[in-house]
Amino acid sequence: MHIVVCVKAVPSSTEVKMDPVTHTIVRDGRESVVNPFDAAALEVALAIKDERAAAGEGCRVSVLSMGIPATEALLRDGIARGASDALLLSDRAFAGADTLATSYALSCGIRELGSAGMGDAAASGASEQRAAALGSAAPGIPEGGTAKPGYAVPGAPEHGEAAPGPSLPDLILCGKMAVDGDTAQIGPELAGLFDMPCVTDVRELVAIERGRVTVRHATDVGIELVEVPLPVVLTVAKDIAQPRMPSIAGVRAAAGVPVAVLSAACVQADPARSGLAGSPTQVVRSFVPERSDTCEVLEGSVPQQAARIIALAEEAGL
Amino acid sequence: MSGLMVDAARCVGCKRCERACAFGGIVVEGRLARPTDACTLCGGCVEACPVDAIAIERDEASERPGRNLSAYRDIWVISQVDAEGALLPVVFELVGKALELAEARGCQVVAVLGEAGRVPRQAERLAATGVAEVIHAVDERLAHADAEVFAQWICALAEERRPETMLFGATAFGRELAPRVAVRLQTGLTADCTALDIDPKTGALLQTRPAFGGNLMATIECPAHRPQMATVRPGVFAAPECVTAGAGAGADLAAGIITQALLAPEVAPRVIVLGIEPVTGGSIAQAERLVVVGRGIGSKKNLPLVERLAELLHAELGCTRPLVEAGWLDYAHQVGQTGAAVAPKLLVSIGVSGAIQHLAGIGGAETVIAINEDAAAPIFGVADYAVVGDAVEVVTELIAQLEARN
């Protein structure tokens, strides 16, 4: 079984705040973290891997991201937690991507992960050594580099919504949304690109067996228990699993494993569908929203304040 | 390749771009701005530059219209029904906004509705809202809100009829369906818009949404692709009375025509629903009145007080993230960036300081009353009414007065 977990680096939670006086964004200590929803998705994948390992079966968990070169550290952390390998798509050509261009880039990365060079060895179970071998064969590609690293990709993947090939993963896991963008679009868009079914806002993974997965997920009408055939895209809620910490052995092992960092050209991404060029949406203006500065302070004794609150509640339909 | 260009002759090294950038995507070195690898081409620095030294250059490919834009017309509202088969309130809200945009643009509003046979049919109800047409399908394959099935149907319709704009409610279903449609049609989608406007000449939809947890608002366009697509959170727009009341009320609206459309025979659901546990209790996202409690309530033993207050106010109970993390309340109660976004008419905020991640979730609230000890708490920056005082004391008094009143 092959599981790809898509992760995004987001600013750590306390960071993105506005200076109330200058209305500029305060950027002290720009530490990035893995989007907490994606961290939960990785935990779900690792739990499946553990379960399979206990049953003597192989399971490869790949962590995939598109981001700036520094994102490599977060992917390495994923390996330290137990992922088999990781791929970072990093290239100026990806900058300015909206969700359509992002999901396209990730789809190129997913095909790459399933290509002969990256897939076979890990799928056979020797994932740790595999990842190490991959890393030594694929040192960080210099920016704009077009040279393929030491493994070959069979035939150019089609730049389109091709039917799922034999090398696609069984399971693509994403967080249901990113805390910074909050669009929740990447999972369903990936499903569309690969013509896979998709289940969003998964709260519990009940079973994976005989090529089908059973999950509980939140919908507008309640919590649904659904069954769906693999391959499938699942997007998970944050409380589905508590991410494990990396083990000391995991950190040591991961330290020696260079994460594959590939450019747009390396994954044969169509420039017209990548980054700003491949993004139908454009930000034409950004501005600081007007805050309610008309806040009325309710004065008086506590009983008087309470009476005012009740009167306001009545105005609002109580 | 597209990129951020700095005109060295104009740049004065004032660093406003550096301060405006949320990503560390531009730095000033030797009195000259230079983009870094972290640049996401968001355009924040372009706005901030006082001397017009920064520009985003786009490839010709990205400027060239991908398709003949003039072949697309009208505004589609993708409709959704609830478990009982009734139209969701957000449908009326979207129709109201779409009618306003269509009037400015000089085009029509078309509602798209797919239902299954066992439920009451809502097409006539929808046709009476002022829309020109309802595209309607009745098919058992539409019985469950299966985004893949709906997407195949809607994409086939859109390829044939070419709508200029498509609006979706940002419900769980809408947030899954819209991206599936967008990726299939290879077009742009803006999530969770809080304002929509239209350029009457070009039909370009100006979609405004919060970014950075509501600290910044971004207006987004989809200049070269059609249809242009947006999702809108329930409760953001008010549904005009003429829309909810139906044809004949107020303005002389004629009922729209109803066109039946079929699903292609090969469309087959792949997600099998084995069971549904209906939502127990109200959902905080849909609540009309909401009490939200934060750490300022002091200790867990005060929680029953807040629960009692919510009950007396006929309100749902929400909370901040630390309370969920402490295990006081379930995640289903969490309001904010990683919880639910809420849009109640009345929100009573108790002992909530107002971390930005929390404020990001309450932007849709109409009236906010905040009770907090700390007069400088950020929650008061978004509140309409403030009580500076001990939360437990005020809540106890509120309960006493409400109980006496009943």
Side-chain angles (χ1 to χ4, degrees):
Chain A
M1 165 164 277
H2 183 204
I3 305 173
V4 174
V5 183
C6 301
V7 304
K8 180 182 186 185
V10 298
S12 65
S13 57
T14 53
E15 263 171 79
V16 182
K17 52 187 174 192
M18 301 293 286
D19 183 316
V21 180
T22 62
H23 287 317
T24 54
I25 292 160
V26 180
R27 291 186 290 111
D28 43 350
R30 299 206 44 78
E31 200 197 347
S32 285
V33 296
V34 169
N35 172 38
F37 291 85
D38 303 343
L42 176 59
E43 179 57 38
V44 170
L46 295 176
I48 296 170
K49 188 185 175 202
D50 289 348
E51 218 170 84
R52 300 260 149 173
E57 292 167 46
C59 177
R60 172 186 174 209
V61 174
S62 305
V63 191
L64 172 65
S65 188
M66 180 187 90
I68 59 171
T71 311
E72 185 184 340
L74 297 179
L75 296 188
R76 188 185 313 285
D77 179 71
I79 294 174
R81 283 167 208 254
S84 316
D85 54 274
L87 171 59
L88 173 63
L89 304 170
S90 191
D91 195 321
R92 280 276 179 84
F94 290 131
D98 68 3
T99 62
L100 191 73
T102 302
S103 58
Y104 171 69
L106 292 173
S107 77
C108 294
I110 289 168
R111 285 182 205 282
E112 180 71 22
L113 283 165
S115 68
M118 292 195 82
D120 293 348
S124 72
S127 48
E128 253 61 50
Q129 296 90 321
R130 243 290 307 159
L134 167 68
S136 59
I141 303 303
E143 184 194 322
T146 53
K148 285 301 279 184
Y151 56 90
V153 174
E158 292 168 36
H159 299 299
E161 296 67 50
S167 59
L168 286 181
D170 304 287
L171 197 54
I172 298 173
L173 288 173
C174 307
K176 82 159 177 176
M177 58 181 238
V179 290
D180 60 343
D182 186 14
T183 68
Q185 291 172 4
I186 294 299
E189 289 191 339
L190 279 174
L193 285 169
F194 289 122
D195 190 27
M196 287 182 192
C198 178
V199 184
T200 55
D201 205 353
V202 172
R203 301 301 172 88
E204 184 192 353
L205 197 143
V206 180
I208 304 188
E209 50 195 7
R210 293 185 295 278
R212 304 185 75 81
V213 58
T214 309
V215 298
R216 250 178 253 285
H217 77 125
T219 72
D220 294 314
V221 295
I223 302 288
E224 273 183 359
L225 179 69
V226 301
E227 185 188 276
V228 58
L230 301 176
V232 64
V233 177
L234 302 180
T235 79
V236 306
K238 193 165 65 83
D239 60 347
I240 189 172
Q242 188 65 39
R244 68 189 65 185
M245 296 309 289
S247 67
I248 291 169
V251 172
R252 284 213 187 102
V257 180
V259 169
V261 182
L262 298 184
S263 67
C266 283
V267 295
Q268 306 188 30
D270 179 353
R273 291 182 69 181
S274 301
L276 195 65
S279 298
T281 60
Q282 294 177 11
V283 176
V284 291
R285 182 172 165 245
S286 55
F287 56 98
V288 176
E290 287 171 28
R291 288 281 187 221
S292 147
D293 47 355
T294 54
C295 182
E296 183 193 332
V297 177
L298 304 183
E299 306 285 1
S301 65
V302 170
Q304 287 169 330
Q305 290 171 328
R308 272 301 301 281
I309 292 174
I310 292 168
L312 288 164
E314 281 168 345
E315 274 173 39
L318 179 70
Chain B
M1 195 194 305
S2 304
L4 192 72
M5 302 296 163
V6 177
D7 184 341
R10 285 188 173 185
C11 178
V12 293
C14 71
K15 297 198 173 192
R16 282 190 207 184
C17 50
E18 196 178 296
R19 284 197 296 270
C21 180
F23 305 98
I26 191 162
V27 292
V28 175
E29 286 166 352
R31 302 195 66 77
L32 180 64
R34 178 181 66 80
T36 73
D37 282 342
C39 172
T40 67
L41 301 177
C42 75
C45 57
V46 179
E47 294 270 329
C49 180
V51 293
D52 291 334
I54 311 176
I56 292 177
E57 264 181 31
R58 299 179 148 260
D59 284 352
E60 279 183 29
S62 65
E63 286 295 345
R64 192 177 58 231
R67 26 209 114 166
N68 175 15
L69 302 191
S70 62
Y72 294 78
R73 57 178 297 114
D74 294 341
I75 301 173
W76 284 16
V77 173
I78 310 303
S79 310
Q80 184 184 352
V81 295
D82 64 17
E84 278 75 48
L87 290 165
L88 293 184
V90 69
V91 175
F92 299 104
E93 295 160 17
L94 290 178
V95 167
K97 179 49 96 174
L99 288 169
E100 191 187 310
L101 296 172
E103 192 180 354
R105 172 67 171 144
C107 68
Q108 292 187 325
V109 177
V110 175
V112 178
L113 173 68
E115 325 174 78
R118 62 177 170 76
V119 294
R121 307 218 173 153
Q122 296 290 321
E124 282 167 18
R125 176 79 191 83
L126 199 47
T129 56
V131 302
E133 183 183 356
V134 177
I135 302 178
H136 188 217
V138 179
D139 193 301
E140 279 314 305
R141 288 170 288 176
L142 301 172
H144 289 290
D146 185 325
E148 192 185 359
V149 171
F150 273 82
Q152 290 181 64
W153 177 53
I154 290 167
C155 289
L157 286 174
E159 276 160 3
E160 183 199 329
R161 303 263 311 248
R162 297 176 181 245
E164 187 171 63
T165 299
M166 292 171 97
L167 304 180
F168 298 73
T171 57
F173 175 59
R175 277 162 70 94
E176 183 180 348
L177 173 61
R180 277 206 92 118
V181 172
V183 77
R184 218 177 154 95
L185 300 177
Q186 285 290 299
T187 189
L189 167 64
T190 306
D192 296 337
C193 300
T194 53
L196 292 175
D197 213 335
I198 204 162
D199 182 324
K201 286 203 185 68
T202 63
L205 192 66
L206 301 166
Q207 307 156 95
T208 300
R209 78 180 301 262
F212 298 113
N215 280 309
L216 269 183
M217 301 299 285
T219 301
I220 292 165
E221 267 188 56
C222 177
H225 295 72
R226 294 291 180 269
Q228 45 198 344
M229 297 177 42
T231 68
V232 178
R233 289 238 166 143
V236 167
F237 298 130
E241 210 171 304
C242 60
V243 169
T244 49
D252 51 339
L253 296 168
I257 59 167
I258 298 175
T259 311
Q260 295 298 330
L262 297 174
L263 264 75
E266 66 272 16
V267 174
R270 289 193 279 190
V271 178
I272 301 165
V273 180
L274 303 174
I276 300 175
E277 303 150 30
V279 188
T280 49
S283 136
I284 59 169
Q286 312 286 336
E288 289 257 304
R289 281 185 295 276
L290 194 64
V291 170
V292 178
V293 57
R295 264 183 300 195
I297 194 69
S299 93
K300 193 178 176 181
K301 70 174 165 50
N302 294 326
L303 210 51
L305 282 177
V306 189
E307 285 168 340
R308 178 65 182 146
L309 176 64
E311 193 186 331
L312 288 164
L313 288 171
H314 304 292
E316 299 297 331
L317 182 63
C319 69
T320 59
R321 181 169 150 178
L323 267 58
V324 173
E325 285 177 350
W328 292 12
L329 284 164
D330 286 346
Y331 175 67
H333 293 277
Q334 187 180 319
V335 175
Q337 202 168 44
T338 54
V342 299
K345 285 202 165 64
L346 176 74
L347 189 153
V348 183
S349 179
I350 298 165
V352 174
S353 61
I356 192 65
Q357 292 79 9
H358 176 72
L359 299 185
I362 66 170
E366 218 165 274
T367 302
V368 176
I369 305 173
I371 305 165
N372 198 302
E373 228 170 18
D374 176 9
I379 187 75
F380 292 131
V382 299
D384 301 289
Y385 299 95
V387 173
V388 181
D390 180 65
V392 174
E393 197 184 331
V394 178
V395 170
T396 309
E397 176 63 26
L398 276 167
I399 291 172
Q401 289 195 16
L402 284 163
E403 281 177 344
R405 176 174 170 271
N406 294 344

